Amino acid sequence: MSPISSGATFVLGGARSGKSRFAEQLVASSELERHYVATGRAWDEEMRARIDKHKADRGELWHTHEEPLDLVGCLRAIDGEGRAILVDCLTLWVTNLMMEERDMEAEFASLAAYLPTARARLVIVSNEVGLGIVPENRMAREFRDHAGRLHQMIAAEAADVYFIAAGLPLKMKG
């Protein structure tokens, strides 16, 4: 496993591709203090069980921060030398922003502008949703479009970009 870059590392992949495990291993392989920013919300019992399992699997070596909306504010609050921050994941953040009718472009621009200023090592996870068929409803198409635009912005700022498929990382940048 290669060390975490001094710039942001962006990890993309499909559902159950191994992207979160890969990102966690990147952080765990470092000597840095581990922080995990979870953007998901527990809308139902199944999602609550998933969240609880993820927390238990990570163990006590991780400091967990749950932040569904103010991602940049959370990152600024925990940023610092000697830390690694894993954000999982951007597509859940996009969903939350859409549900709250936030200004997507402003939120995305704020995150992209923050990345080069971070002192902590950042590892950011997201689901690649643009490889399938065109969704049949407007909201799903808007979600896919927002995610695609955000991914382009983050990839442009990231030092390293990985695409994960079947648990195998393909380094795309860096």
Side-chain angles (χ1 to χ4, degrees), residues 18-59:
K19 63 192 173 298
S20 293
R21 181 177 55 246
F22 176 78
E24 288 175 14
Q25 289 171 348
L26 274 178
V27 172
S29 69
S30 75
E31 299 291 323
L32 303 170
E33 181 180 293
R34 302 173 194 174
H35 290 262
Y36 190 101
V37 177
T39 61
R41 286 179 164 168
W43 297 105
D44 56 31
E45 285 307 310
E46 185 268 342
M47 188 62 170
R48 167 70 52 215
R50 280 178 182 250
I51 290 170
D52 290 346
K53 181 179 181 336
H54 281 286
K55 284 182 190 176
D57 288 350
R58 281 193 304 275

Side-chain angles (χ1 to χ4, degrees), residues 16-134:
R16 295 287 175 245
S17 63
K19 63 192 173 298
S20 293
R21 181 177 55 246
F22 176 78
E24 288 175 14
Q25 289 171 348
L26 274 178
V27 172
S29 69
S30 75
E31 299 291 323
L32 303 170
E33 181 180 293
R34 302 173 194 174
H35 290 262
Y36 190 101
V37 177
T39 61
R41 286 179 164 168
W43 297 105
D44 56 31
E45 285 307 310
E46 185 268 342
M47 188 62 170
R48 167 70 52 215
R50 280 178 182 250
I51 290 170
D52 290 346
K53 181 179 181 336
H54 281 286
K55 284 182 190 176
D57 288 350
R58 281 193 304 275
E60 296 186 20
L61 293 177
W62 291 83
H63 303 277
T64 300
H65 311 270
E66 295 182 5
E67 182 48 62
L69 295 169
D70 187 13
L71 181 55
V72 175
C74 180
L75 291 172
R76 283 192 177 116
I78 62 176
D79 193 7
E81 294 290 332
R83 292 182 174 178
I85 304 171
L86 192 161
V87 176
D88 199 355
C89 82
L90 290 186
T91 44
L92 289 173
W93 182 58
V94 168
T95 298
N96 297 334
L97 295 174
M98 287 180 72
M99 298 303 284
E100 298 290 330
E101 298 182 1
R102 295 288 189 99
D103 180 341
M104 306 299 279
E105 297 308 314
E107 296 280 356
F108 295 174
S110 179
L111 179 59
Y114 168 75
L115 295 183
T117 71
R119 293 169 305 183
R121 303 289 174 95
L122 300 176
V123 178
I124 301 169
V125 175
S126 198
N127 289 287
E128 177 52 64
V129 296
L131 297 174
I133 61 172
V134 175

